[in-house]
Amino acid sequence: MAVTIAELTQLDTAIERGTRRLLELQRPDGVWVGELESNVTMTAQHLFWHHYLDLRTPELDRRIANDLLARMRDDGTWSIWFEGPADLSTTIEAYVACRIAGVDPGPRTLAYIRREGGIPKSRLFTKCFMALLGQWPWQRMAPIPPELVLVPPGSPFSIYDFSCWARQTFVALSVAQSLRPVRPADVDLTAIGARPGKTRPPGRPNRLRRRAVTVAERWIRERQEADGSWGGIQPPWVWGIIALAALGNGLDDPTLGKAVEGWQGFMVDDGERLRPEACQSPVWDTALAALALRACGVPADHEALRRPGDYLLREEVTVKGDWSIRKPDLAPGGWAFEFENDLYPDVDDTAVVLLALHKADALDGPTRKRAVDWMLAMQSRNGGWAAFDKDNTSRLPALLRFSDFGEMIDPPSADVTGHVVETLGVFGLDQKHPAVARGLRYLYAKQENEGSWFGRWGVNHLYGIGAVLPALAAAGEPMDSLAVRRAVRWLGERQNPDGGWGETCASYVDVQARGRGESAPSQTAWALMGLVAAGRADSTAAHRGAQFLIDRQRTDGAWDEESFTGCGFPGYGIGEEEGARIHEGHELAAGFMIRYHLYRNCFPLLALGRYRRALQLSTRPAPEQGGDACNRKSSISAISMR
């Protein structure tokens, strides 16, 4: 459809306003990093391990309780994503933390927990924390044998068959389980099924167990990152702390002391409320922000892009990590997600960082070669790419008794594969390149019957389609193909009356929820990016999507978004990888949802910038007459960084 001059002016204004806001959010060192908000189990567990290490203070208790109560739903429960269903384990952990802090959440919370079966029906992690507090017997849960760490990587089954996040967590948790540490909490929880004082001391360990614990401790210590974390994420960090303390180490121990001190950098100080982040995403956020600014016409030599380019180049991973267990001869060369995570770079970050550096004219030849070589070598046998590991598709981890939550493996996914293929396509590698050809075959094979793609690391099919369509376009695939037309039709069928798109986290387990939900800026942006890539920028659907973003923009250039549109450690309840199908309950397959606070700014700008560029190429004067969006420096280049 034709776009009027007034509408183009609106678009220009929205882009310039959003660009200014994004630049205001940049840190002085050139980095962008927004809060990575998850569920209240992170907050409750912060209190639990502080209790175990005798680090609690009245102020900590009060501010933790304030945050938990502020996030409690009207029915007295807690959930794992915005407006999601009540979750038993999450509610138990929040309830117990409140009680320990001297606050009673009320009778509705108690009634819900009792109705759902209480602590006996909770997940393994919840039982372990209850055992740590002396409220549940350590021996009354599925054991994680530390002897697993002794199994050679080349065996039919070893810890390297777990995903990296599960592997790091379970090695530490296995040590804690074998030692059965307890620091009783002075609170009566029998009403929710607690069994205080029932833990039996661990039996005398045999020779094999002693060796396993020793090797596991060394394994844990060797993998600590520079900031004191393990992998830059909460689960292995917290259980690493607990395991080392249970072994008899104090805060004067270099590894334990560094872990406890480093954790303070993950705390969000929200006035009278305090909560930890499960992870921090500076590399990911910085790359996305740089891509958005370039799409909106900010020149590559702008100071606001030069400094993040320098930062991203410094963050290249140059040492081998656990990924090298299966690729011992592969030289390192990629990027991780976090501030400090040299041992677990991921393919997704690597693809997006490469694209951002390329767009910012900051990518040198040697860096590009190292990263591309590493990324290509991480391609799995089925042609797709996973996040952290190659061919991590064993079904065995899910069959173990202690595997009662989320996804335990890291199989390839359409969204990660899409990002890789898009970057390779921008670098000039098309379907004639063997790796790209295999990646494309994987993507075509994984298209869902109705036309979308499963998005593992974002919610969900809107994220998948927003990653795959740009990949197909970048690789030179025909945009009039059946696959593309099916995807475009799917987007049209799921566009909301307000012009936007939305999808709830329920889509991970409910087919009917795919692409359905209240419109959200980031998810609308993914749909718009898909339409632009498919050559439909001039369609009514694209125009309405862009208008939704323009209309919903605040006067300061930002967008409001309460929805959880990211997913961490996701399960495959729906759209699962063949050969790794896991039958999970509805609660389990969507076990860790994320609200990225910068998504609502980065993705709408990226989408609007690409949309404007597509319109200008088709409707505006030729570049020599001043119509090239990438050369619109009259207003954009004058934007100050603050």
Side-chain angles (χ1 to χ4, degrees):
M1 64 176 291
V3 180
T4 67
I5 296 297
E7 290 168 333
L8 287 173
T9 301
Q10 259 193 321
L11 177 59
D12 289 341
T13 300
I15 287 175
E16 186 165 337
R17 202 160 48 190
T19 298
R20 289 182 183 276
R21 179 56 181 159
L22 192 54
L23 290 172
E24 290 170 355
L25 294 172
Q26 188 180 31
R27 300 192 333 180
D29 59 0
V31 174
W32 282 273
V33 57
E35 182 180 350
L36 192 152
E37 181 183 342
S38 55
N39 62 65
V40 296
T41 60
M42 304 292 109
T43 306
Q45 292 165 14
H46 184 76
L47 188 62
F48 298 159
W49 73 262
H50 273 69
H51 174 84
Y52 176 65
L53 267 65
D54 197 20
L55 297 175
R56 282 173 55 201
T57 65
E59 180 185 13
L60 175 69
D61 285 10
R62 176 176 55 82
R63 296 176 72 195
I64 288 290
N66 286 345
D67 192 73
L68 292 172
L69 293 175
R71 292 166 181 265
M72 185 171 67
R73 293 136 54 91
D74 292 342
D75 63 358
T77 67
W78 285 266
S79 63
I80 58 177
W81 75 79
F82 184 72
E83 292 186 345
D87 181 75
L88 175 62
S89 294
T90 303
T91 300
I92 287 174
E93 292 185 33
Y95 174 82
V96 172
C98 285
R99 292 290 308 278
I100 290 175
V103 176
D104 189 343
R108 289 175 303 175
T109 308
L110 178 60
Y112 166 78
I113 294 174
R114 296 184 66 175
R115 185 169 63 249
E116 296 298 317
I119 295 174
K121 295 296 184 180
S122 65
R123 64 176 182 163
L124 173 72
F125 271 10
T126 302
K127 288 190 177 78
C128 287
F129 280 109
M130 295 304 102
L132 189 72
L133 301 172
Q135 301 294 327
W136 186 259
W138 275 108
Q139 68 273 10
R140 289 292 301 273
M141 65 184 81
I144 305 174
E147 288 81 3
L148 276 175
V149 79
L150 301 177
V151 180
S155 301
F157 179 72
S158 76
I159 60 171
Y160 298 99
D161 287 301
F162 290 97
S163 62
C164 71
W165 59 87
R167 178 191 320 142
Q168 296 173 85
T169 302
F170 285 147
V171 170
L173 187 53
S174 73
V175 172
Q177 271 199 346
S178 69
L179 299 172
R180 299 183 180 178
V182 175
R183 184 180 181 86
D186 186 17
V187 59
D188 184 2
L189 300 175
T190 53
I192 63 170
R195 299 179 182 179
K198 299 297 185 181
T199 287
R200 294 196 297 266
R204 181 182 178 87
N206 58 30
R207 185 175 179 180
L208 183 63
R209 173 58 57 90
R210 291 196 301 271
R211 179 167 174 255
V213 170
T214 298
V215 172
E217 179 183 6
R218 183 170 68 245
W219 193 95
I220 294 168
R221 291 182 183 275
E222 289 173 348
R223 283 160 177 76
Q224 187 177 42
E225 301 287 350
D227 61 355
S229 72
W230 281 271
I233 56 176
Q234 189 263 8
W237 200 341
V238 166
W239 283 108
I241 288 173
I242 294 170
L244 291 174
L247 284 164
N249 300 292
L251 295 181
D252 56 343
D253 176 83
T255 307
L256 180 56
K258 186 177 180 180
V260 172
E261 180 181 2
W263 182 253
Q264 301 311 309
F266 269 51
M267 301 306 297
V268 177
D269 189 333
D270 192 3
E272 286 298 297
R273 295 164 56 184
L274 188 69
R275 61 181 175 273
E277 294 180 87
C279 186
Q280 292 176 334
S281 51
V283 172
W284 183 248
D285 287 348
T286 299
L288 290 177
L291 281 172
L293 292 178
R294 283 296 290 134
C296 291
V298 174
D301 59 359
H302 196 292
E303 179 68 9
L305 286 173
R306 186 190 62 79
R307 289 181 296 124
D310 292 342
Y311 165 74
L312 292 174
L313 287 172
R314 292 195 304 270
E315 289 301 304
E316 183 191 6
V317 174
T318 58
V319 298
K320 290 188 175 184
D322 278 2
W323 54 267
S324 65
I325 296 293
R326 286 184 170 148
K327 295 294 295 182
D329 298 326
L330 178 60
W335 281 267
F337 185 75
E338 303 85 354
F339 279 111
E340 299 291 346
N341 185 0
D342 283 343
L343 298 179
Y344 298 98
D346 69 271
V347 172
D348 212 11
D349 272 273
T350 299
V352 174
V353 168
L354 279 172
L355 190 59
L357 289 172
H358 172 76
K359 295 287 187 181
D361 294 337
L363 185 60
D364 61 85
T367 302
R368 169 173 160 167
K369 185 179 187 308
R370 283 193 301 272
V372 170
D373 286 349
W374 182 80
M375 194 165 62
L376 290 173
M378 294 296 288
Q379 188 175 28
S380 291
R381 285 189 294 266
N382 64 4
W385 278 269
F388 297 94
D389 281 306
K390 178 185 176 75
D391 295 316
N392 188 255
T393 58
S394 173
R395 296 183 62 188
L396 291 177
L399 302 178
L400 300 174
R401 287 179 57 208
F402 58 79
S403 301
D404 71 345
F405 71 97
E407 183 64 281
M408 308 293 292
I409 56 176
D410 181 23
S413 64
D415 49 316
V416 176
T417 302
H419 291 152
V420 173
V421 171
E422 180 184 8
T423 297
L424 294 176
V426 170
F427 287 173
L429 303 181
D430 58 16
Q431 60 268 41
K432 296 178 183 177
H433 189 282
V436 175
R438 293 174 59 221
L440 289 170
R441 287 197 296 272
Y442 171 87
L443 291 175
Y444 286 126
K446 295 304 172 185
Q447 188 175 29
E448 303 287 343
N449 291 334
E450 68 270 25
S452 65
W453 281 271
F454 180 87
R456 189 175 192 197
W457 297 96
V459 183
N460 171 356
H461 290 259
L462 288 171
Y463 187 68
I465 214 166
V468 173
L469 287 179
L472 299 182
E477 292 296 282
M479 291 297 102
D480 60 350
S481 67
L482 177 60
V484 173
R485 285 188 281 116
R486 288 169 60 206
V488 169
R489 183 185 62 191
W490 185 89
L491 286 172
E493 292 171 347
R494 277 147 181 85
Q495 189 169 27
N496 289 327
D498 61 11
W501 284 267
E503 184 174 359
T504 73
C505 302
S507 62
Y508 281 97
V509 293
D510 182 0
V511 173
Q512 299 305 315
R514 293 178 177 180
R516 307 289 188 189
E518 183 179 344
S519 297
S522 64
Q523 293 173 321
T524 299
W526 298 335
L528 181 57
M529 288 162 57
L531 291 174
V532 170
R536 272 72 168 184
D538 59 350
S539 66
T540 300
H543 171 69
R544 294 179 61 224
Q547 194 64 47
F548 171 87
L549 294 175
I550 293 169
D551 292 344
R552 297 308 191 278
Q553 189 182 37
R554 300 186 329 210
T555 55
D556 66 355
W559 283 267
D560 290 319
E561 182 170 278
E562 297 295 325
S563 304
F564 278 50
T565 62
C567 188
F569 322 142
Y572 277 85
I574 301 292
E576 54 277 281
E577 171 65 27
E578 292 179 9
R581 186 179 299 270
I582 297 171
H583 298 285
E584 297 175 330
H586 281 210
E587 180 183 41
L588 301 179
F592 192 80
M593 312 314 297
I594 299 172
R595 180 182 172 220
Y596 287 94
H597 282 218
L598 273 185
Y599 271 19
R600 63 180 182 262
N601 294 315
C602 289
F603 281 113
L605 271 183
L606 180 58
L608 290 176
R610 290 184 177 183
Y611 174 68
R612 181 175 69 179
R613 173 62 171 163
L615 291 180
Q616 289 172 327
L617 288 176
S618 62
T619 64
R620 285 194 174 183
E624 60 267 26
Q625 295 175 281
D628 190 343
C630 290
N631 291 322
R632 283 187 75 255
K633 298 187 180 182
S634 57
S635 61
I636 295 294
S637 62
I639 292 177
S640 63
M641 289 179 288
R642 292 286 179 268

